[in-house]
């Protein structure tokens, strides 16, 4: 086992945070942007923000004051007074015209002061302002009063501008400044967004050299290509992996070739949905012959099932809420023939006409964000018990086990959903002909892993471990993080060293 090391420095982290916040704001954050009010707190925040930025712009003046004091004390010679005066003016131009404006346009409307107070410069319609507008605003707000008025009219010129700007700001709706009125901008409170770095999340998580449950973009919810997975597996220190896509074996042919190229051992795999005694299970097939025509039928039936369910969701939604979604058109854009309830909900909430529907309005008004409203709508409408829920039928466990075995594979019970399965049902399922159990996985609780390990030992079954890694679509799972303790690795290694006909041992 080894620990994940950090990858990013402070500057890189800051850039990533700013980019992520801007991306979030463009997608949906602008809808939740809060304009500045005239209450005391908002005025204090705005004033504090401006004073912080102003202090940064005036930093060269502090240098001038320090030199002047040292000259008065006789520490520095008098002839330095004139050159330091001109150096200070040049630095003031750089900090007031260049530094503040550059930071604002690079940070999409932020400044150090606005960053600390949670504010941002945007257009009047709350959309992000262009880089040129952001640069001009900082020149009007800071550059001109500090460098221009300060040079021609000394401190009096700056004070007159600041007093006039303060009066305009206080009496204007949303505390708009002179620059805001000229450029058509405003300052808003930026919606809060929680940003986590992957390296921080997993730096204390142990990475296993064996990961037998990984999904590529051949799965409907996978993200990375087969080669991307090998690159990441190599970086994570994995020695053996298996790509187990949902009801699809297409990744295996590529993976076998890439295994040699990247020096990572590979076990052909698949994960197949099935039903047993009214419950949905998943079967992991290892060492399968992916060329077997039975897997073509598995994929074909899966696509047909998902398409039928997607069309039915759309029909029920139209019947229940009067919202018409062109499901056929959506299905044309996905090779998996699956349009989930969440995808439908996202499409609806992005449509301005549908956002005016009373049903959608209720979710928007009672949620803290569009994202939360979408999640709640999708759960209430499309999950079990909802008016648009569609129950799908899956092949029987017996048939799926037979397919895996006919393809010379080893059938392993996936840990998916095992938290909700009682021991008796699992034992009944194992009796159907399983060869192993996925014991170690982030999909289940620690106590469930203990139960599964006990059952594997009692029935003398193979023990497997997998991360269920999908990529950014399932951000809580990390490649190589299987929750398999070091002392249990030898149990998993038995499976990785098995021969294709090991089930007949």
């Amino acid at each position: 086992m080894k620990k994940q090391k950090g990858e990013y420095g402070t500057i890189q982290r800051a850039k990533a945070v700013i980019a992520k916040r801007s991306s979030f704001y463009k997608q949906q954050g602008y809808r939740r942007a809060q304009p500045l009010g005239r209450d005391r707190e908002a005025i204090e925040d705005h004033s504090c923000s401006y004073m912080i930025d102003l202090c940064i712009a005036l930093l060269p003046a502090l240098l001038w004051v320090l030199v002047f004091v040292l000259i008065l004390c006789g520490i520095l010679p008098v002839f330095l007074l004139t050159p330091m005066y001109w150096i200070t003016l040049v630095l003031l131009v750089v900090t007031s015209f260049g530094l503040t404006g550059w930071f604002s346009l690079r940070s999409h409307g932020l400044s150090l002061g606005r960053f600390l107070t949670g504010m941002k410069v945007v257009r009047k319609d709350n959309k992000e302002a262009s880089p040129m507008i952001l640069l001009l605003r900082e020149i009007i707000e800071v550059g001109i009063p500090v460098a221009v008025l300060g040079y021609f009219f000394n401190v009096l010129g700056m004070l007159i501008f600041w007093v006039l700007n303060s009066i305009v700001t206080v009496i204007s709706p949303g505390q708009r400044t002179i620059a805001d009125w000229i450029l058509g901008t405003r300052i808003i409170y930026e919606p809060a967004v929680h940003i986590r770095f992957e390296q921080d999340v997993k730096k204390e998580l142990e990475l296993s050299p064996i990961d037998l449950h990984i999904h590529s973009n051949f799965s409907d919810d996978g993200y990375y290509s087969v080669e991307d997975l090998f690159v990441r597996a190599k970086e994570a220190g994995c020695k053996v992996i298996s790509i187990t896509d949902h009801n699809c074996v297409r990744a295996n042919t590529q993976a076998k070739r890439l295994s040699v190229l990247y020096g990572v051992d590979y076990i052909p795999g698949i994960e197949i949905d099935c039903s047993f005694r009214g419950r949905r299970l998943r079967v992991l097939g290892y060492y399968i012959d992916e060329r077997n025509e039975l897997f073509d039928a598995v994929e074909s039936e899966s696509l047909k099932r998902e398409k039928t369910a997607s069309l039915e969701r759309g029909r029920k939604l139209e019947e229940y809420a009067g919202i018409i979604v062109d499901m056929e058109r959506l299905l044309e854009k996905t090779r998996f023939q699956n349009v989930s309830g969440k995808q439908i909900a996202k499409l609806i909430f992005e449509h301005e006409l549908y956002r005016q529907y009373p049903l959608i309005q209720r979710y928007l008004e009672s949620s803290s964000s569009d994202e939360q409203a979408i999640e709640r709508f999708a759960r209430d409408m499309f999950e079990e018990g909802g008016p648009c829920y569609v129950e799908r039928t899956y092949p029987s466990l017996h048939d799926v086990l037979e397919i895996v075995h006919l393809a010379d594979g080893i059938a392993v019970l996936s840990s998916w959903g095992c938290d909700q399965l009682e021991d008796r049902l699992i034992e009944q399922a194992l009796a159907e002909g399983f060869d192993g159990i996925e014991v170690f996985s982030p999909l289940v609780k620690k106590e469930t892993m203990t139960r599964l390990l006990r059952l594997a030992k009692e029935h003398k079954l193979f023990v497997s471990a997998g991360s269920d890694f999908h990529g950014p679509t399932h951000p809580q799972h990390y490649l190589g993080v299987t929750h398999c303790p070091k002392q249990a690795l030898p149990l998993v290694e038995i499976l990785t060293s098995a021969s294709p006909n090991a089930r007949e041992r």
Side-chain angles (χ1 to χ4, degrees):
M1 301 278 191
K2 71 175 185 177
K3 300 263 180 118
Q4 184 73 18
K5 296 180 180 179
E7 299 173 0
Y8 306 112
T10 302
I11 295 177
Q12 290 173 307
R13 282 170 171 263
K15 289 180 178 179
V17 167
I18 290 171
K20 185 66 176 177
R21 284 174 60 164
S22 175
S23 175
F24 173 81
Y25 190 84
K26 288 177 182 177
Q27 291 175 6
Q28 56 183 329
Y30 68 91
R31 294 194 178 111
R32 297 193 290 116
Q34 296 294 322
L36 300 186
R38 296 181 184 175
D39 55 285
R40 180 177 177 180
E41 184 178 0
I43 293 174
E44 288 178 350
D45 284 344
H46 195 178
S47 301
C48 179
S49 167
Y50 186 70
M51 290 303 296
I52 291 172
D53 296 334
L54 196 59
C55 287
I56 293 174
L58 291 172
L59 278 177
L62 295 178
L63 175 63
W64 161 252
V65 171
L66 176 62
V67 171
F68 185 76
V69 170
L70 292 176
I71 290 174
L72 287 179
C73 296
I75 298 175
L76 293 177
V78 177
F79 72 83
L80 287 178
L81 194 61
T82 299
M84 283 306 303
Y85 172 77
W86 290 107
I87 290 174
T88 301
L89 283 181
V90 171
L91 292 176
L92 277 173
V93 171
V94 172
T95 56
S96 59
F97 274 95
L99 183 61
T100 56
W102 175 84
F103 187 86
S104 181
L105 68 90
R106 288 298 301 270
S107 60
H108 307 279
L110 299 177
S111 65
L112 180 59
R114 291 192 288 272
F115 179 81
L116 295 175
T117 52
M119 297 189 293
K120 178 184 181 84
V121 173
V122 296
R123 298 181 338 205
K124 285 193 297 184
D125 60 0
N126 282 0
K127 299 291 184 66
E128 284 197 343
S130 68
M132 182 57 68
I133 292 296
L134 293 174
L135 179 61
L136 289 174
R137 189 184 185 279
E138 296 306 312
I139 289 175
I140 296 173
E141 285 271 289
V142 180
I144 291 178
V146 170
V148 178
L149 297 179
Y151 177 77
F152 288 104
F153 304 102
N154 297 319
V155 176
L156 180 61
M158 290 189 286
L159 289 176
I160 291 174
F161 175 85
W162 289 333
V163 169
L164 180 61
N165 194 47
S166 299
I167 294 173
V168 172
T169 301
V170 171
I171 65 176
S172 297
Q175 295 191 48
R176 298 182 69 193
T177 65
I178 292 175
D180 290 327
W181 284 105
I182 294 173
L183 299 172
T185 56
R186 67 192 300 193
I187 294 180
I188 50 88
Y189 281 114
E190 191 175 12
V193 53
H194 182 54
I195 299 172
R196 299 192 308 167
F197 286 89
E198 181 175 314
Q199 67 187 74
D200 294 334
V201 175
K202 63 179 182 179
K203 65 183 178 180
E204 296 301 324
L205 298 176
E206 290 187 332
L207 297 176
S208 171
I210 302 172
D211 191 341
L212 304 180
H213 193 159
I214 302 171
H215 292 274
S216 75
N217 56 10
F218 282 107
S219 286
D220 59 345
D221 53 355
Y223 182 84
Y224 291 109
S225 69
V226 177
E227 185 164 11
D228 287 337
L229 292 177
F230 273 91
V231 171
R232 297 179 74 87
K234 187 75 173 178
E235 291 175 349
C238 289
K239 304 298 183 184
V240 187
I241 65 170
S242 180
I243 297 177
T244 54
D245 285 317
H246 297 303
N247 309 299
C248 179
V249 295
R250 295 174 183 267
N252 291 293
T253 302
Q254 295 181 38
K256 285 181 176 180
R257 295 196 301 266
L258 293 168
S259 170
V260 178
L261 179 63
Y262 286 93
V264 177
D265 290 341
Y266 183 74
I267 297 174
I270 187 174
E271 186 175 32
I272 307 176
D273 291 292
C274 63
S275 62
F276 178 71
R277 298 184 183 273
R279 306 290 286 272
R280 185 179 170 191
L281 303 178
R282 286 177 175 172
V283 176
L284 291 162
Y286 296 115
Y287 295 102
I288 56 171
D289 177 5
E290 72 278 4
R291 297 166 299 179
N292 194 302
E293 293 180 356
L294 288 169
F295 293 120
D296 293 334
V298 169
E299 183 176 5
S300 177
E301 285 299 315
S302 174
L303 294 174
K304 181 180 177 181
R305 178 175 64 243
E306 295 302 331
K307 181 176 181 179
T308 301
S310 298
L311 292 172
E312 184 65 8
R313 288 189 195 100
R315 187 193 66 78
K316 286 192 173 186
L317 180 64
E318 181 180 353
E319 186 179 89
Y320 176 78
I323 297 176
I324 302 173
V325 178
D326 190 346
M327 299 301 296
E328 290 284 1
R329 185 176 179 183
L330 289 176
L331 288 168
E332 289 175 358
K333 298 178 180 180
T334 172
R335 59 190 169 103
F336 300 106
Q337 298 299 291
N338 176 31
V339 181
S340 67
K342 187 172 181 180
Q343 288 174 304
I344 296 173
K346 186 176 181 180
L347 181 69
I348 291 170
F349 279 76
E350 289 176 349
H351 198 294
E352 290 300 328
L353 176 61
Y354 291 144
R355 289 174 69 88
Q356 306 308 314
Y357 276 45
L359 174 64
I360 307 303
Q361 281 288 314
R362 287 200 296 271
Y363 279 93
L364 288 169
E365 292 170 0
S366 60
S367 303
S368 60
S369 67
D370 276 21
E371 185 176 359
Q372 185 187 68
I374 291 170
E375 291 279 357
R376 291 178 54 223
F377 181 84
R379 182 178 63 247
D380 295 347
M381 292 294 114
F382 300 104
E383 290 190 8
E384 190 170 357
C388 304
Y389 171 70
V390 177
E391 186 172 358
R392 289 167 288 182
T393 57
Y394 298 95
S396 69
L397 171 61
H398 178 271
D399 289 344
V400 170
L401 291 174
E402 187 174 12
I403 289 171
V404 173
H405 291 151
L406 286 173
D408 299 324
I410 293 174
V412 172
L413 173 65
S414 172
S415 61
W416 180 86
C418 283
D419 278 341
Q420 289 74 45
L421 300 180
E422 58 275 11
D423 285 357
R424 182 179 178 184
L425 183 65
I426 295 177
E427 288 188 337
Q428 290 172 344
L430 294 176
E432 292 290 315
F434 274 105
D435 308 301
I437 303 176
E438 183 183 43
V439 172
F440 303 107
S441 167
L443 291 170
V444 291
K445 300 174 183 176
K446 186 177 292 186
E447 49 268 33
T448 301
M449 285 190 276
T450 301
R451 287 196 298 127
L452 295 177
L453 181 59
R454 175 178 56 79
L455 289 170
K457 288 182 176 180
E458 288 178 1
H459 293 272
K460 298 181 179 179
L461 299 172
F462 286 115
V463 172
S464 184
S467 64
D468 193 38
F469 178 74
H470 287 70
T473 52
H474 292 62
Q476 70 276 25
H477 295 169
Y478 306 98
L479 198 150
V481 179
T482 67
H483 294 186
C484 177
K486 186 176 182 179
Q487 58 270 29
L489 264 180
L491 294 176
V492 183
E493 288 172 347
I494 296 174
L495 174 58
T496 63
S497 60
S499 61
N501 59 354
R503 67 184 183 86
E504 298 174 0
R505 68 194 184 284

